[in-house]
Amino acid sequence: MSAGDPMLVADRQPGSGAHREAAHPSFWEAFRFWLKLGFISFGGPTGQIAIMHEELVERKRWISESRFLHALNYCMLLPGPEATQLAIYVGWLLHRVAGGIAAGALFVLPSISILWLLSYAYVTYGSVPWVAALFYGLKPAVTAIVAAAVIRIGSRALKTPAMWLIAAAAFVGIFFLKIPFPLIILGAGAVGLLGGLVRRDQFLVIRPHGGEAGTRAAVLADADESPAHTRPSRLRTLRVGTVGLLLWWTPVLALAAWLGRDSTPVREAIFFSKAALVTFGGAYAVLPYVAQQAVEHYGWLSTPQMVDGLGLAETTPGPLIMVLQFVGFMGGWNHPGSLHPLAAATLGALITTWVTFVPSFLFIMLGAPHIERLRGNERVSSALSAITAAVVGVVLNLAVWFGLHVLRPAGGAVDPFAAVVALVTFVGLVRWRWDIVHVVIGSGLAGLAWRLLAAG
């Protein structure tokens, strides 16, 4: 970001050591950013978190490193899509409830629209080759984005030998031993909580009020008190809980009154409401359960269609859990009842998406005020420091997993195109700080051009 960027206010006086501070964004400035993020958030939760870290912490300085990680660690303990919840959390910190709703909604709205179009094209034409070509270029770029995130987050989180050991253990646990992600996070938190009592110097890495010396102060800086609107109260909790539950279940009850309880959209709404409460560990952790129920129990779609749906969801921006929208679409299309297949499919897709994401808003609005109060607690900070170190290991696992599957598809020879795109993108991100938007657009167009040249 250049020195003349309007986001910055030059507070430095001649000869003084004051920091330049980022100006608090207006609601509409943040609105435009969340909308942009909704269109560029490729790469699953880790890639999306990497993009948010780059934009919110490194470039715009809307939130400090430790506050970002504090929010992220809470989101990782929740069921549901953690990247979406992180966007809601930061939006809420910046602009109250309206900011949280805008951040979360805009994070998923582009993918809702794009995936609906792709789902319709899928049931109508059977394949979408140009989308596959775009994602062919995106995959190695996403690999580079994730690898760059490992370096950025690791350089800040792995400051002591204990943190390095936790990160290494997390990588070994998830990559080689296949330990479930939630267990790794909970285990790291327990180690940090206990370790902080014994070796404070080794475990208190994310300090509750750490300084930002030598850097441009963030809008939400380490030493700042939490905004007034983040303070919890019983009345607020009751109000948020009541409104959230009404929003969650009113559309479901309306559909049941209109179509009947046994209709496909209503059965999907009830099933995915339950799934929203147990989706710990991200989309890949919940997909086996969803696939088994959707394919074998309800018969909403076939196994090949489930696999195709995952591929379509991976080609769209937004959380990977959007694959559930495809399941809802196919369930309505294959079992329309008295409705036109497209109408039933659209209803199924929308209600599935609604009950999948509304709980995430509720979890943040209810829990985040209490998490903000714990920001100054050293024991909690020690636990979160250990969780962040474990997250570095988990992110490294994803980078390696992406690299193996993208650079050597089907376990064969190295794909030279993918290797070049990944290397160039990685160097550009780390050394020249390329803009993520340009990386996403450029790599997608490169993949499309390469496939067209190969076909010609």
Side-chain angles (χ1 to χ4, degrees):
M1 192 173 288
S2 65
D5 195 303
M7 281 292 298
L8 304 182
V9 177
D11 287 340
R12 185 183 297 276
Q13 301 296 327
S16 74
H19 297 149
R20 291 192 308 176
E21 295 182 356
H24 195 292
S26 69
F27 176 83
W28 292 111
E29 188 176 2
F31 185 96
R32 290 191 296 272
F33 168 73
W34 298 120
L35 180 61
K36 180 186 83 168
L37 180 66
F39 282 101
I40 66 170
S41 54
F42 292 90
T46 308
Q48 292 152 7
I49 291 167
I51 291 172
M52 278 192 279
H53 182 273
E54 172 71 17
E55 293 290 319
L56 294 171
V57 178
E58 300 286 345
R59 294 182 183 276
K60 297 183 179 298
R61 301 292 297 173
W62 286 355
I63 186 170
S64 68
E65 178 82 23
S66 66
R67 295 190 78 149
F68 180 89
L69 296 175
H70 184 86
L72 171 60
N73 289 326
Y74 169 60
C75 295
M76 287 194 162
L77 297 176
L78 295 173
E82 59 267 31
T84 308
Q85 292 162 345
L86 179 60
I88 298 169
Y89 197 123
V90 177
W92 168 76
L93 278 177
L94 288 169
H95 296 108
R96 304 174 177 265
V97 172
I101 292 174
L106 294 173
F107 191 81
V108 299
L109 277 176
S111 59
I112 291 173
S113 305
I114 295 170
L115 188 57
W116 183 90
L117 290 171
L118 294 178
S119 300
Y120 179 67
Y122 176 81
V123 297
T124 305
Y125 303 109
S127 63
V128 193
W130 65 269
V131 173
L134 285 172
F135 198 64
Y136 176 61
L138 284 174
K139 283 180 179 179
V142 168
T143 303
I145 290 172
V146 175
V150 174
I151 294 176
R152 279 198 307 271
I153 300 175
S155 66
R156 292 164 173 82
L158 308 184
K159 295 181 178 179
T160 67
M163 296 299 107
W164 278 95
L165 285 173
I166 291 171
F171 175 77
V172 171
I174 197 167
F175 188 82
F176 293 104
L177 305 180
K178 311 302 179 185
I179 297 175
F181 171 76
L183 292 182
I184 290 175
I185 295 300
L186 291 174
V191 169
L193 194 63
L194 296 174
L197 297 175
V198 180
R199 291 293 304 272
R200 180 179 180 275
D201 61 314
Q202 288 290 310
F203 287 87
L204 191 59
V205 174
I206 301 177
R207 297 185 181 274
H209 294 289
E212 294 177 293
T215 64
R216 190 170 66 247
V219 171
L220 297 170
D222 292 349
D224 293 344
E225 292 295 327
S226 296
H229 69 269
T230 67
R231 294 168 189 161
S233 69
R234 292 181 181 178
L235 179 60
R236 181 193 179 279
T237 299
L238 180 62
R239 184 171 63 247
V240 169
T242 301
V243 172
L245 290 173
L246 286 173
L247 287 173
W248 184 350
W249 288 102
T250 297
V252 180
L253 296 175
L255 278 178
W258 173 32
L259 300 173
R261 229 187 126 174
D262 291 331
S263 63
T264 298
V266 174
R267 297 181 78 190
E268 289 174 332
I270 294 173
F271 170 72
F272 287 111
S273 290
K274 297 176 184 176
L277 301 176
V278 298
T279 53
F280 293 95
Y284 285 113
V286 75
L287 279 179
Y289 166 67
V290 169
Q292 181 185 36
Q293 294 295 309
V295 173
E296 298 177 10
H297 180 69
Y298 292 103
W300 289 331
L301 73 174
S302 65
T303 299
Q305 288 174 336
M306 186 74 197
V307 175
D308 291 342
L310 180 59
L312 287 177
E314 286 183 324
T315 66
T316 63
L320 186 57
I321 202 72
M322 287 302 299
V323 67
L324 302 187
Q325 177 182 309
F326 177 82
V327 176
F329 184 98
M330 293 303 301
W333 183 272
N334 292 327
H335 303 279
S338 60
L339 299 174
H340 185 278
L342 183 58
T346 302
L347 273 178
L350 291 178
I351 195 62
T352 296
T353 304
W354 181 262
V355 302
T356 296
F357 287 98
V358 168
S360 292
F361 288 86
L362 188 56
F363 295 149
I364 296 301
M365 299 302 177
L366 285 176
H370 301 281
I371 296 302
E372 281 296 298
R373 288 187 68 181
L374 294 173
R375 199 168 57 86
N377 187 301
E378 285 197 357
R379 292 185 65 185
V380 173
S381 295
S382 295
L384 294 181
S385 295
I387 290 174
T388 303
V391 167
V392 175
V394 173
V395 176
L396 178 60
N397 158 73
L398 186 66
V400 173
W401 188 88
F402 266 145
L404 291 175
H405 287 77
V406 171
L407 302 182
R408 298 182 58 195
V414 173
D415 183 335
F417 172 82
V420 170
V421 171
L423 179 61
V424 170
T425 303
F426 177 78
V427 173
L429 288 168
V430 172
R431 183 168 183 179
W432 295 300
R433 303 285 296 276
W434 282 354
D435 189 279
I436 296 291
V437 179
H438 299 156
V439 169
V440 169
I441 294 174
S443 60
L445 292 177
L448 182 60
W450 183 265
R451 284 286 174 88
L452 288 175
L453 288 173

